[in-house]
Every structure is written in structure tokens, then in C-alpha cells.
Amino acid sequence: MKGYKWIGAVSLAASLFTGGCQDAQTFSSDDVVTKMLEGNKAVGSYYAEGIMNEYEGEKKIRESTIMEWHDAKSGKRRVEIRSGNNVTRSVNDGKQIITYDEALKTAFRLDAADVGELGAGTPKEQLIGILDKVKNTHKIEVVGEDTVINLPVHHVKATMQEKGSLFGDIDLWADQKTWLVLKSSSTVGENKVNFEYTKLDQSPTFDEKAFVLDLPQDVKITSLSDINPAKKVSLAEAEAAMKAPFYYWESSSEVVLAGIELNEWKGEINRNELTLNYTKGDVPYFSLSVFPTPKEGIGEGLLGEKPLQIRGIKGSYMEAISSITWDEKGLRYTVMLEHPDLTVEQMVKLVEEMKWSEKK
């Protein structure tokens, strides 16, 4: 499973979560999400600075300052995060993202397309993307008004309807004119992250060097895709990698098997993993991940998992990342729903139609 797509997106978005109001405004939950999404699409160029504080219980464990550069015309972005004596710099030139950790003296490159929908945008867009994800699992309401960096804002609160959500409770302070998020707070269990902009220049001028990382000569840029490159394999090669046949979908009039990829993970993960990509009408529909069943059972170690019967087997569903997971015959299967019109109910029915890869 291409887990880094959603893990990376959630991680970066979480790093930018931040936490008196007057009478509540008369906006419905749908109105709030719609207005924030619409306002966010109009994001122009800006330079911003902010402060992020992370807590475990009442104890502050980390304080960071963040600087952002965003050129709307070229789509280029730069983010610098300073925490203690360390600085992490990341530049997205639209084609690739290069991140440099000053303390570790390491630099990594990742194709911008591989970050996924949430990670591809500005930090504000990522935050709004998560709000869109939780609109069906949280109660979203405008609870009052306030000011942030001298701008009037709506205080929006997204409260978990059920315990165990991946995203927890979220407070957002959105500019009343543009609905851009200027301050936020996220609480998941004992962990809390607060973020607030202290400066926002929406008419900046950028030097071309702003979107170029000036790396030390002895630092080599490593491509993340080269660390564990995915190899395109045939069905027979996929079976050999799993050392067993597995359940999958053949191409049909309903869906098309666009390809099978094999990752041979080393280190702590140390396993072979298949990703089967499926399309419908030449558009990504869903993907299937297959790997040996790990020691951790379904629903252990992840927040927001809900029990779901799959093929008569106990499985789980994570609405936050639109994934279905179950274990069967020594293998773990995870389906990532990628098309917005594909429902969980439809996917469960499709799972019932899976075929055994070994030909009899």
C-alpha cells in the first residue's frame, strides 16, 4: 500500500494545525465546508510566518516557528520549520519536492505527484482537505467571531461524533473575507498541536532564489522513490513475491487492472508488498495492497478504525483515508477508494467478487 501518500499528507497537515467568541453564526456544516473550500481556491501569492506548539497533556514538548513562501503564478512553494537548533527546509517547484534537514545533513527528493491530493497544495489547502475529510464524522459549526493578526475571523469547531477519530477535535479560525485558516488547534487524545500565523503578506515580491535550496556541497540528494523503488511485475511474479496466490480482480467491463507494483521493503518493515491499481473509464478507481499478515491485528494501533464485515471476515474501515482492511489466508488486504463516486457499500460488494490468482 502506498501508505506514505496519506501518512505524509496527514503529518504535514498536522504540523500546521494550531487552538472569546461572540454569538454563533447561522452557517450550516455544509455551508462552512463549502465556503472554506471556495475561499481557499482563491489563494494568491503570500509570505507568512507562524508559531506552532506541541503538547503531551499539559507539557509543551516542542515549539517551532514556520515561514512560508507561495507564488500563485508559478505554483512554487517553500516552507522552513525551525525547532530548537534544527531547521528543515522544503521547496516544491511544481515538479518535485526537495527537503533538507540541517541537523541530519540529509536531503530527499520526491515527485510532487507522489505526495497525493492533500500534500500537493499549500499548508492551508492541506488543512482544508482534512476538514473536507471529517465533514461526515465530525459536528462542524461556527461558534463565534474573533481576530487573528488584526483580521476578523470566524471560529469554526469540528468535534468528533465518535471516539477514536484519526483527526480528533479541530478548532479553526478562518478569515471572514476569504475563509482562509489563520489559526488552528488539533487535539487527539493527550496530544495537542496549536498553530497561529503571526505575519501574513498577501502582496509579496519574491527573489528567484527563494525557491531554490542552497545545499552544502557534501550533501547528496536522495530520491525517496529510489530507497524502495516499486517494480512493475506480472501476476506470476507477484505470486512468487508473496510465495502464495492471492485474491484480486481480473480486468472486466467494470474495472481494469492497470498494473501491479512490487515493493521489497527492508529494515524494520522487511516485507514484500504488492499494489494493484484499478481504473474505470481510464480514471483511477481504487488500489489493492497485499502483504503478509503482520503481528498487529486489525484495529490495533490506528485511530478511527471501525469494524466491518468483509467476505464474512472481521475487517475494518477508516473513513479518514477511505480504506478497507481485512486478513485472509495469511495475507493482509487493504483497498484504498480513490474515485469520489465509489462508496464503501459498492466496494464491499466488489470485494465479494474477487478471484483467486492461482489458475486451476
Side-chain angles (χ1 to χ4, degrees):
M1 179 176 64
K2 297 177 182 176
Y4 65 85
K5 286 191 175 183
W6 69 268
I7 293 173
V10 171
S11 177
L12 183 53
S15 74
L16 291 153
F17 276 143
T18 63
C21 299
Q22 300 172 4
D23 294 336
Q25 304 298 299
T26 56
F27 291 108
S28 70
S29 171
D30 289 342
D31 287 337
V32 171
V33 175
T34 299
K35 287 179 180 294
M36 295 186 78
L37 287 170
E38 289 177 347
N40 203 64
K41 290 178 182 177
V43 173
S45 298
Y46 68 87
Y47 168 75
E49 297 177 5
I51 296 177
M52 179 177 69
N53 291 307
E54 302 172 59
Y55 299 86
E56 285 184 359
E58 298 297 322
K59 181 181 179 181
K60 182 163 72 172
I61 59 173
R62 186 177 296 105
E63 179 175 330
S64 305
T65 60
I66 298 175
M67 296 183 289
E68 302 173 37
W69 295 256
H70 170 50
D71 185 354
K73 185 176 181 180
S74 67
K76 295 180 179 180
R77 302 173 178 90
R78 180 186 182 114
V79 177
E80 291 191 8
I81 302 177
R82 298 174 179 268
S83 181
N85 297 322
N86 190 31
V87 181
T88 301
R89 299 181 176 90
S90 182
V91 169
N92 183 345
D93 65 6
K95 295 181 180 180
Q96 63 179 3
I97 301 170
I98 298 178
T99 300
Y100 174 59
D101 187 303
E102 193 173 86
L104 298 177
K105 294 186 177 180
T106 57
F108 295 96
R109 180 178 64 248
L110 180 65
D111 289 342
D114 286 341
V115 179
E117 181 181 350
L118 286 176
T122 66
K124 295 184 185 70
E125 291 167 338
Q126 296 169 40
L127 191 57
I128 297 302
I130 288 183
L131 179 62
D132 193 34
K133 285 284 186 183
V134 304
K135 64 183 179 183
N136 295 321
T137 60
H138 288 54
K139 178 183 178 182
I140 302 176
E141 57 185 336
V142 177
V143 296
E145 298 180 345
D146 207 333
T147 58
V148 178
I149 51 176
N150 297 319
L151 293 173
V153 295
H154 292 297
H155 178 188
V156 180
K157 190 174 186 66
T159 307
M160 291 186 298
Q161 306 246 43
E162 299 179 9
K163 292 183 178 180
S165 169
L166 178 67
F167 299 112
D169 293 330
I170 304 171
D171 283 86
L172 309 172
W173 285 259
D175 181 87
Q176 291 186 10
K177 183 178 180 180
T178 64
W179 285 86
L180 298 181
V181 177
L182 304 179
K183 175 182 175 181
S184 56
S185 177
S186 173
T187 303
V188 181
E190 293 295 313
N191 299 309
K192 184 174 184 177
V193 181
N194 294 341
F195 177 83
E196 182 174 357
Y197 281 113
T198 57
K199 180 178 181 179
L200 178 64
D201 180 0
Q202 294 181 289
S203 300
T205 56
F206 295 125
D207 187 291
E208 291 183 0
K209 294 182 180 180
F211 302 102
V212 177
L213 279 183
D214 186 14
L215 300 176
Q217 292 184 348
D218 60 340
V219 173
K220 179 182 178 181
I221 300 177
T222 302
S223 173
L224 288 179
S225 60
D226 291 340
I227 296 177
N228 282 290
K231 299 186 296 186
K232 292 185 178 181
V233 296
S234 66
L235 184 62
E237 291 170 329
E239 286 185 351
M242 290 295 102
K243 298 181 180 179
F246 53 88
Y247 287 104
Y248 81 119
W249 293 268
E250 296 178 329
S251 293
S252 66
S253 58
E254 180 71 13
V255 296
V256 174
L257 176 55
I260 305 175
E261 297 177 349
L262 168 65
N263 276 102
E264 298 174 299
W265 302 108
K266 305 300 181 183
E268 185 177 348
I269 297 178
N270 193 28
R271 71 183 182 214
N272 287 345
E273 181 174 345
L274 301 175
T275 301
L276 291 77
N277 298 301
Y278 289 87
T279 62
K280 183 175 183 179
D282 295 325
V283 176
Y285 203 47
F286 62 85
S287 65
L288 171 67
S289 163
V290 185
F291 56 87
T293 302
K295 294 181 181 180
E296 299 79 14
I298 299 293
E300 294 181 12
L302 288 175
L303 293 173
E305 286 189 286
K306 298 181 180 179
L308 183 68
Q309 284 291 112
I310 310 291
R311 298 169 57 84
I313 299 170
K314 178 185 176 182
S316 70
Y317 171 60
M318 289 191 68
E319 184 170 10
I321 59 172
S322 298
S323 72
I324 295 173
T325 300
W326 74 99
D327 294 335
E328 189 168 1
K329 294 186 177 180
L331 295 174
R332 173 157 295 179
Y333 296 83
T334 298
V335 177
M336 302 287 290
L337 286 68
E338 298 179 359
H339 196 284
D341 295 335
L342 178 59
T343 66
V344 179
E345 293 73 21
Q346 291 172 327
M347 194 69 246
V348 170
K349 290 182 179 179
L350 282 172
V351 170
E352 297 293 336
E353 300 172 6
M354 297 176 79
K355 305 295 183 182
W356 194 237
S357 64
E358 184 179 49
K359 304 302 180 183
K360 302 201 176 178

